[in-house]
Amino acid sequence: MSAPKPFLSVIVPVYRGETVLRRSLPALLASDLPRSEWELVVVDDTSGDDTPAVAAEYADRIVRLDGGPRGPAYARNRGIEAARADIVVFIDADVCVHTDVLAKFAAAFRADAGLAAVFGSYDADPTAPGLVSQFRNLLHHHVHHLSPGPAETFWAGCGAVRREALLDVGMYDAWHFPRPQIEDIELGRRLRRAGYHIELRPDIQCTHLKRWTLRNMIVTDFRDRGVPWMWLLLSEGRSEGSAALNLRPSEKLCTALVAFIALALPAAALLRSFSLLLAAVLAVLIIVSLNRPFYAVLARARGPAFALACVPLHLTFYFTGGLGGVLGAALYYTRGVPGPPAPVPDEGAAPPPLDRPDSSVWAMAARGRR
């Protein structure tokens, strides 16, 4: 006899994650939601270590990929195909969910038949030590607490989607996102453009285990967020969604001020100009003032000295993201949308999985440019 159909299918994509899985999978199994109501599917993206053995201690099923690694978008798509439930929950391998997360996901979908997707937030207690790790995880926590309610994007670190909606829009675009980038944000945009409702629930929380370094923070913000984010923004053109993807006015101002600081400081040294130096200091003070709520979060979590030490990291965050956006715009206008053209699906046919760029915003923009 086959097992009863679960209400939730929890998908955990992982690459070389034997260490983090020993913490994240037990956290899932400690969930309040009865075990009979959910299944655990771990997708091993050709790890090559003991990841499958660790996953086997906890998972109902393990999907093992070959020929990779292919990235989390591709791995999540294979997990969706293996899922039995109508609600698919995505949990990153390096997060430990709070015990009530799965129960809150289940309650949200049971209470609202029109809800297509819901996602949560990192909590304010990241475990990785070090200034960069603490800053970066608390920044993500703060951003997700700014705008609870209806959302224009999606986050796959701790989020859930109706399987029907995922299949309708073509699942994740693994073609254009072969490594961790903004594949979940792009999926959220397609869901919204198709008329689906997404909610941000900051009370649905998990603890992030990732250890950030200054180098991988800069690379992530420049290469894996700034560049593809601008591509996505320009691909959508002028629309309500594009406005939601764009920076808030205060963030635009902070990015511009950081660009000014980057020019003013070397110019002040070269010209021995006290006025330029003073202007750069004033720009820093304006940025801190505009971000008072965030620095209050940092001070409450780790103290005033920690908040002050995070100022250079925050300036770096704005600078690298802004520089990535400039490069993304330049690449978009000079080289167009990345990826080869693909046949347009037959009229009336369901969109294929976006392991090919058939129906993504990239492909739609590319067809418009040809």
Side-chain angles (χ1 to χ4, degrees):
M1 296 179 62
S2 61
K5 183 178 179 180
F7 187 72
L8 303 177
S9 288
V10 180
I11 297 174
V12 179
V14 59
Y15 174 67
R16 294 184 178 177
E18 58 177 298
T19 301
V20 292
L21 287 184
R22 294 189 186 279
R23 300 176 64 183
S24 60
L25 296 187
L28 275 167
L29 265 65
S31 297
D32 294 341
L33 189 68
R35 191 66 177 85
S36 59
E37 294 195 34
W38 62 281
E39 65 174 354
L40 175 57
V41 180
V42 175
V43 185
D44 173 31
D45 192 8
T46 64
S47 294
D49 60 4
D50 287 337
T51 290
V54 175
E57 299 177 25
Y58 306 96
D60 297 297
R61 268 171 295 165
I62 301 173
V63 179
R64 299 191 66 180
L65 307 180
D66 55 20
R70 308 284 189 89
Y74 185 90
R76 292 184 188 119
N77 283 350
R78 304 293 76 80
I80 295 166
E81 292 168 348
R84 295 190 300 129
D86 294 328
I87 308 297
V88 179
V89 179
F90 300 105
I91 302 294
D92 279 351
D94 62 354
V95 301
C96 292
V97 297
H98 291 193
T99 56
D100 60 357
V101 163
L102 296 186
K104 285 183 175 179
F105 277 139
F109 285 103
R110 282 170 169 151
D112 186 355
L115 181 65
V118 60
F119 62 98
S121 167
Y122 292 142
D123 61 23
D125 296 301
T127 61
L131 180 67
V132 180
S133 294
Q134 294 286 308
F135 160 77
R136 188 54 189 238
N137 290 319
L138 287 170
L139 176 62
H140 188 285
H141 167 82
H142 173 68
V143 169
H144 275 210
H145 280 69
L146 286 177
S147 304
E152 293 293 327
T153 61
F154 179 67
W155 178 52
C158 183
V161 191
R162 291 191 189 274
R163 193 170 188 273
E164 179 183 17
L166 283 168
L167 297 179
D168 181 45
V169 301
M171 302 197 291
Y172 288 90
D173 184 350
W175 180 278
H176 290 103
F177 303 104
R179 60 177 181 269
Q181 292 180 295
I182 60 166
E183 70 281 350
D184 47 358
I185 293 172
E186 192 273 336
L187 172 67
R189 288 306 310 135
R190 274 185 285 120
L191 287 167
R192 286 295 298 122
R193 286 159 68 94
Y196 288 106
H197 178 58
I198 304 173
E199 286 277 335
L200 166 55
R201 288 270 307 271
D203 63 304
I204 300 176
Q205 295 195 6
C206 58
T207 303
H208 200 197
L209 306 178
K210 180 172 179 175
R211 179 181 177 272
W212 287 88
T213 66
L214 181 60
R215 181 183 181 279
N216 66 24
M217 186 186 99
I218 290 173
V219 169
T220 296
D221 289 333
F222 176 74
R223 183 192 68 181
D224 296 331
R225 294 190 65 83
V227 172
W229 191 292
M230 183 56 70
W231 266 334
L232 180 58
L233 184 65
L234 294 174
S235 296
E236 287 203 350
R238 293 184 179 276
S239 69
E240 179 183 350
S242 294
L245 276 173
N246 217 330
L247 298 175
R248 294 189 299 273
S250 62
E251 292 175 316
K252 291 181 179 179
L253 177 57
C254 288
T255 303
L257 287 171
V258 167
F260 168 75
I261 293 167
L263 296 173
L265 287 178
L270 183 65
L271 302 174
R272 297 183 179 180
S273 170
F274 180 74
S275 297
L276 279 174
L277 178 61
L278 187 61
V281 172
L282 179 61
V284 172
L285 294 176
I286 293 173
I287 292 171
V288 172
S289 178
L290 290 172
N291 287 278
R292 290 191 307 275
F294 173 52
Y295 286 102
V297 169
L298 296 179
R300 285 195 301 269
R302 301 293 182 269
F306 172 83
L308 184 61
C310 286
V311 172
L313 292 177
H314 206 188
L315 299 181
T316 302
F317 166 78
Y318 280 122
F319 179 77
T320 53
L323 194 61
V326 171
L327 178 60
L331 290 173
Y332 178 85
Y333 287 117
T334 58
R335 299 175 59 182
V337 177
V344 178
D346 294 336
E347 185 175 356
L354 288 178
D355 299 326
R356 305 183 303 278
D358 297 62
S359 56
S360 67
V361 294
W362 312 110
M364 289 188 283
R367 289 196 287 272
R369 292 167 66 92
R370 289 201 293 271

